[in-house]
Amino acid sequence: MTDLPRQLSFDLPVRPALGRDDFFVAPSNALAIDLIDRTLDLPGRKLAISGLPGAGKTHLAHVWATEYAEYGARILPAAALDEDIVPDLAQTAMAIEDVPAIAGDPVRERALFHLHNMLAERGLPLLLTGRAAPQTWGLHLPDLKSRIAAAAHAALEAPDDALLAAVMMKLFADRQLSPKPDVIPYAVRHMERSFAAATDLVDRLDRAALEAGRDVTRALTTEVLGSRASPH
């Protein structure tokens, strides 16, 4: 009996669901959600959220932007900042993602400094995100460092079982995949416990299922994980 031919795999765009109802609230991220809801009551109306890749910072930035839509909230990566565009950006609430990416870049650090000050003068909310706590973002401009250090901060902690399972469910849904019911519980028990690992595993399962023309099953998950654990 010959093997079934492998199907071609295409890099189709994945469109993640980024609404508030799509975000699973757990103890590890409850503080961030609470501070998003109360940004207008925070000192300077500014909030910093930190977390490892895949922890949900971008999702929360979209939740925040929706929450402050009445202020015209927009989202911009820090690397796209430039002093020429600051006057326009300062007309609305702003979420600036991945601030550590501009550490040591004098032009972009100055742009963020001026943006921060203009937003503060106008009473407009500001959200900043980065991988770790703001004090470790490596910014060089002293006045910018001090202003960001004064922001309320919420860290997205490592996921528990329930959150990791919910993240995987969302990742599968984003790819329009329907894994068998025992896949996610099995994966949670055997995978590395991190958001990045969950993202990587779902991506590999997606590709493996498409290439082999198979459903996403526990057996396929075992193969992709390379696990030798006996079934539970």
Side-chain angles (χ1 to χ4, degrees), residues 102-105 109 138-145:
I102 65 171
D105 183 329
E109 285 199 23
L139 299 170
H140 290 194
L141 190 63
D143 287 341
L144 177 62
K145 289 176 62 175

Side-chain angles (χ1 to χ4, degrees), residues 26-36 38 47 153-155:
S28 59
N29 58 40
L31 176 60
I33 287 290
D34 178 60
L35 292 182
I36 283 174
R38 297 191 295 110
L47 169 63
H153 171 230

Side-chain angles (χ1 to χ4, degrees), residues 159-208:
D160 56 18
D161 284 0
L163 180 55
L164 198 58
V167 167
M168 291 195 70
M169 289 176 61
K170 180 182 180 300
L171 291 170
F172 280 124
D174 288 343
R175 290 162 174 75
Q176 299 184 343
L177 293 174
S178 299
K180 298 299 182 183
D182 57 352
V183 166
I184 292 177
Y186 178 80
V188 168
R189 288 197 302 271
H190 294 90
M191 64 185 285
E192 176 189 325
R193 306 190 59 75
S194 71
F195 295 110
T199 301
D200 178 66
L201 176 57
V202 172
D203 180 64
R204 287 189 291 142
L205 284 168
D206 186 4
R207 291 177 180 274

Side-chain angles (χ1 to χ4, degrees), residues 48-198:
I49 292 178
S50 65
L52 294 174
K57 297 187 297 297
T58 292
H59 194 157
L60 284 174
H62 282 80
V63 171
W64 183 91
T66 299
E67 185 75 14
Y68 299 101
E70 65 183 289
Y71 293 90
R74 292 178 284 174
I75 303 170
L76 186 75
L81 283 169
D82 190 275
E83 290 185 89
D84 290 344
I85 63 174
V86 166
D88 173 66
L89 297 179
Q91 301 300 315
T92 66
M94 288 298 307
I96 305 298
E97 292 195 283
D98 195 14
V99 174
I102 65 171
D105 183 329
V107 172
R108 288 173 173 78
E109 285 199 23
R110 281 197 304 271
L112 181 56
F113 173 68
H114 293 312
L115 176 62
H116 170 284
N117 289 347
M118 293 175 74
L119 291 173
E121 289 171 3
R122 296 169 181 174
L124 292 169
L126 171 64
L127 174 69
L128 306 161
T129 72
R131 179 170 179 146
Q135 293 83 351
T136 69
W137 287 356
L139 299 170
H140 290 194
L141 190 63
D143 287 341
L144 177 62
K145 289 176 62 175
S146 64
R147 282 161 173 74
I148 289 181
H153 171 230
L156 302 176
E157 306 294 346
D160 56 18
D161 284 0
L163 180 55
L164 198 58
V167 167
M168 291 195 70
M169 289 176 61
K170 180 182 180 300
L171 291 170
F172 280 124
D174 288 343
R175 290 162 174 75
Q176 299 184 343
L177 293 174
S178 299
K180 298 299 182 183
D182 57 352
V183 166
I184 292 177
Y186 178 80
V188 168
R189 288 197 302 271
H190 294 90
M191 64 185 285
E192 176 189 325
R193 306 190 59 75
S194 71
F195 295 110

